[in-house]
Amino acid sequence: MIVFMGTPEFAVPILEMLIKEKYQIGLVVTQPDKRIGRKKTLEEPPVKVVAKKYNLEVFQPFNIKDDYQKILDLKPKLIITAAYGQIIPKVIFDNIKSINIHGSLLPKYRGGAPIQYALFNGDLKTGITIMEMIYKMDAGNIIYQEEISIDKDDDYLSLSNKLSLLGKKMLKEKLPTILNNHHPSIIQKEDLVTYSPTLKYEDEALDFKKEASYNHNRIRGLSPNVGAHFKINGTIVKVFKSKINDIIKLSPNEIKIIDKKLLIGCKDYALEILLIQQQSKRLMSIKDYLNGQTLFKDGGFINE
């Protein structure tokens, strides 16, 4: 019997593969339902939606560090985690063989935001690591790894989808050997460790005193669900798509509207905004936004 632990869309293809391959899934553990948006609508995690579709039992502890006995009592042969989102207590790893499907080439980007950081840093490749789980964040031995290229047009959604499908493929191929304990177990090189901590609101801010590539990559890493943000005249503006304009030269924080284009100066080049959402307004293409906006009409400089 397998216990599956995961929460977002990233984990869905992996769970669906296990179901279609007819593995016995005794329990699906996922995060509690959350209230989403301005209307605070209660929304189920994507993994829960799939589990209910196939009549699998769902367990949603608010804090698994205090509420884990249900998992121990099942005595599963294996726990598979994929972007679960909580720190799992040591007692589980001490009693049950556990593996994780992690969205980076460990030991690079241990932590909760490996896909975002690969994009933030302009990496050209990333991948999936299937690893043994221990009570130290993403530090267990590597079982299997496979890399993929990051395209210049990838954002968080597209790259997450690619990695999810790669993780599904790898697990489908390798799970029999994992269940039979015939798999590799490679110690991570600690001198190569880097981290990708879970993002805070301030990590989502743009900084036009830095290079245009820094801001463009931050937008890629936060699109399309979150968006990168900045503030002008007390108004928060989110950006979901951009490109670097290396022809028009502006000073850092300088704003220009030229030929229906919104440009903001950075340390080296200008950032051209393509998809924008002003606070309390809907998401819009820059062409539609500029038709009726007043926030940037006089150009000038961002001073906040």
Side-chain angles (χ1 to χ4, degrees), residues 223-282:
S223 294
N225 295 330
V226 179
H229 67 264
F230 65 95
K231 187 182 284 189
I232 176 170
N233 298 331
T235 299
I236 296 170
V237 176
K238 287 192 171 187
V239 183
F240 292 86
K241 191 173 183 181
S242 64
K243 68 178 181 180
I244 297 170
N245 187 314
D246 58 1
I247 297 174
I248 297 171
K249 185 66 176 176
L250 300 175
S251 301
N253 286 315
E254 186 178 2
I255 302 164
K256 288 285 186 183
I257 298 175
I258 302 173
D259 297 329
K260 300 280 187 176
K261 297 176 181 178
L262 175 60
L263 302 164
I264 302 176
C266 300
K267 183 178 180 180
D268 48 5
Y269 302 117
L271 190 73
E272 184 175 336
I273 308 302
L274 301 177
L275 198 58
I276 193 170
Q277 185 175 25
Q278 185 177 322
Q279 185 176 354
S280 301
K281 297 185 181 294
R282 63 182 177 89

Side-chain angles (χ1 to χ4, degrees), residues 14 29 42 55 78 120 166 173 195 207 228 240 244:
I14 299 166
V29 185
L42 194 63
N55 297 314
L78 182 68
F120 288 171
L166 177 60
E173 293 172 356
Y195 292 97
D207 184 350
F240 292 86
I244 297 170

Side-chain angles (χ1 to χ4, degrees), residues 142-184:
I142 294 168
I143 300 175
Y144 298 106
Q145 278 189 331
E146 192 170 329
E147 73 174 45
I148 59 170
S149 298
I150 301 176
D151 297 332
K152 64 181 179 62
D153 293 327
D154 273 328
D155 60 12
Y156 172 78
L157 178 62
S158 64
L159 186 55
S160 179
N161 287 343
K162 289 180 190 178
L163 287 168
S164 178
L165 294 175
L166 177 60
K168 178 186 78 169
K169 177 187 79 73
M170 291 171 63
L171 189 64
K172 181 178 179 180
E173 293 172 356
K174 305 300 185 182
L175 188 51
T177 62
I178 293 171
L179 287 168
N180 291 326
N181 293 314
H182 292 156
H183 58 79

Side-chain angles (χ1 to χ4, degrees), residues 52-237:
K52 288 172 63 178
K53 177 182 175 181
Y54 291 96
N55 297 314
L56 298 174
E57 184 178 358
V58 176
F59 180 42
Q60 295 177 276
F62 284 95
N63 190 339
I64 198 168
K65 289 188 290 184
D66 302 321
D67 190 7
Y68 55 80
Q69 192 61 44
K70 187 180 186 71
I71 299 170
L72 292 181
D73 290 345
L74 281 175
K75 299 181 180 178
K77 185 171 184 179
L78 182 68
I79 291 175
I80 299 173
T81 71
Y84 169 56
Q86 290 192 44
I87 296 173
I88 300 170
K90 183 175 182 294
V91 64
I92 289 182
F93 304 140
D94 288 345
N95 286 276
I96 306 167
K97 179 181 176 69
S98 304
I99 64 169
N100 183 37
I101 317 301
H102 185 77
S104 81
L105 298 172
L106 291 171
K108 190 172 187 178
Y109 300 140
R110 291 180 183 175
I115 301 172
Q116 293 94 326
Y117 274 85
L119 291 165
F120 288 171
N121 293 330
D123 291 354
L124 299 179
K125 67 178 184 179
T126 185
I128 287 288
T129 301
I130 300 178
M131 53 167 285
E132 299 171 359
M133 295 190 73
I134 62 174
Y135 193 62
K136 182 179 179 182
M137 185 177 60
D138 300 328
N141 289 358
I142 294 168
I143 300 175
Y144 298 106
Q145 278 189 331
E146 192 170 329
E147 73 174 45
I148 59 170
S149 298
I150 301 176
D151 297 332
K152 64 181 179 62
D153 293 327
D154 273 328
D155 60 12
Y156 172 78
L157 178 62
S158 64
L159 186 55
S160 179
N161 287 343
K162 289 180 190 178
L163 287 168
S164 178
L165 294 175
L166 177 60
K168 178 186 78 169
K169 177 187 79 73
M170 291 171 63
L171 189 64
K172 181 178 179 180
E173 293 172 356
K174 305 300 185 182
L175 188 51
T177 62
I178 293 171
L179 287 168
N180 291 326
N181 293 314
H182 292 156
H183 58 79
S185 183
I186 303 163
I187 297 173
Q188 293 189 40
K189 295 179 180 179
E190 290 293 324
D191 59 327
L192 298 179
V193 170
T194 61
Y195 292 97
S196 59
T198 300
L199 299 177
K200 301 175 183 177
Y201 183 71
E202 54 265 31
D203 297 320
E204 300 163 3
L206 298 173
D207 184 350
F208 300 113
K209 294 179 181 178
K210 294 183 177 179
E211 291 79 4
S213 60
Y214 169 90
N215 290 288
H216 177 64
N217 288 335
R218 194 128 306 229
I219 293 163
R220 293 171 66 208
L222 294 166
S223 294
N225 295 330
V226 179
H229 67 264
F230 65 95
K231 187 182 284 189
I232 176 170
N233 298 331
T235 299
I236 296 170
V237 176

